[in-house]
Amino acid sequence: MADKDPTPEEVAAASAKEAAEQAALPYKWTQTISELDIAVPSIPGNMRARDLVVDIGKLKLKAGIKGQPPIIDGDLPHAIHTDESTWTLTAAPDGSKTIEIHLDKANKMEWWAHVVTSAPKIDVTKIQPENSKLSDLDGETRTMVEKMMYDQRQKEMGLPTSDDQRKADILKKFQQQHPEMDFSNAKIS
């Protein structure tokens, strides 16, 4: 029996359940494809950084007030770069403070379903990534993307791709070097 698509009511119910689970967390979080930011609000205004425990490990995160149960404590679903991950304590307009934690993902091509593995998951298939510019990419990736875009345009116009052109150039050069050979029936694939 084939799986059927969920009804609009089932989609709405799943979305409402996910929203309720995320709202119940003692922190808020957002992510891009390469980093994740966590805000732990409602820290008493008289707290200072030395009054907190924030441990950022490659695969573990713990944050809270010293002497109290941690607000976040668990295993990260994926590795992070600890050298590029930071935390700060900032003042909120209501007089309280917020622990802001920035995690730099080791795999910059992966969405996280949750901050720690014990937390409820979100549906990462519904994430709408922000548009990126070619100039944001590193040189090697940019070159590869530009080549793919060029090849796609060439295919749409019925013209040879960059690989097809390279093969044709090699054949032409070989023919020039060996005029005595007959290439009339040659098939290059």
Side-chain angles (χ1 to χ4, degrees):
M1 188 166 127
D3 290 336
K4 60 178 182 152
D5 289 335
T7 65
E9 293 80 17
E10 290 171 331
V11 170
S15 186
K17 179 179 182 270
E18 182 179 295
E21 289 173 342
Q22 293 300 309
L25 292 172
Y27 55 87
K28 303 289 177 232
W29 65 288
T30 59
Q31 67 179 316
T32 65
I33 194 74
S34 62
E35 50 196 35
L36 188 131
D37 291 302
I38 307 159
V40 184
S42 305
I43 303 297
N46 63 342
M47 292 287 155
R48 298 172 64 139
R50 67 174 179 238
D51 301 320
L52 305 174
V53 175
V54 181
D55 293 326
I56 300 173
K58 184 173 183 165
L59 286 166
K60 208 157 183 45
L61 178 65
K62 183 177 184 177
I65 299 170
K66 282 183 184 173
Q68 296 183 17
I71 298 167
I72 302 174
D73 187 11
D75 296 325
L76 299 172
H78 308 284
I80 61 164
H81 294 295
T82 55
D83 293 346
E84 301 296 323
S85 298
T86 60
W87 70 274
T88 57
L89 183 62
T90 59
D94 65 1
S96 68
K97 293 189 177 177
T98 300
I99 302 172
E100 295 177 352
I101 303 169
H102 173 80
L103 302 178
D104 187 59
K105 297 177 182 178
N107 181 348
K108 305 224 182 270
M109 300 305 282
E110 184 170 46
W111 294 107
W112 287 21
H114 41 202
V115 175
V116 289
T117 55
S118 58
K121 292 183 177 184
I122 62 166
D123 184 355
V124 296
T125 62
K126 294 180 181 168
I127 294 175
Q128 295 291 323
E130 60 197 42
N131 289 333
S132 58
K133 301 179 190 115
L134 278 176
S135 59
D136 293 341
L137 302 174
D138 64 81
E140 184 179 331
T141 305
R142 180 178 176 163
T143 301
M144 181 179 64
V145 170
E146 287 175 337
K147 179 183 180 292
M148 290 168 53
M149 290 169 58
Y150 172 81
D151 288 345
Q152 183 64 34
R153 280 192 307 268
Q154 291 292 97
K155 281 182 181 178
E156 288 171 357
M157 294 186 293
L159 300 172
T161 65
S162 56
D163 288 337
D164 294 338
Q165 291 172 344
R166 185 180 50 78
K167 288 176 188 174
D169 291 344
I170 290 170
L171 178 60
K172 185 176 179 181
K173 184 177 178 182
F174 187 78
Q175 287 173 330
Q176 289 171 347
Q177 291 172 348
H178 301 281
E180 71 282 358
M181 297 179 79
D182 178 21
F183 289 94
S184 58
N185 293 325
K187 291 184 181 175
I188 309 296
S189 60

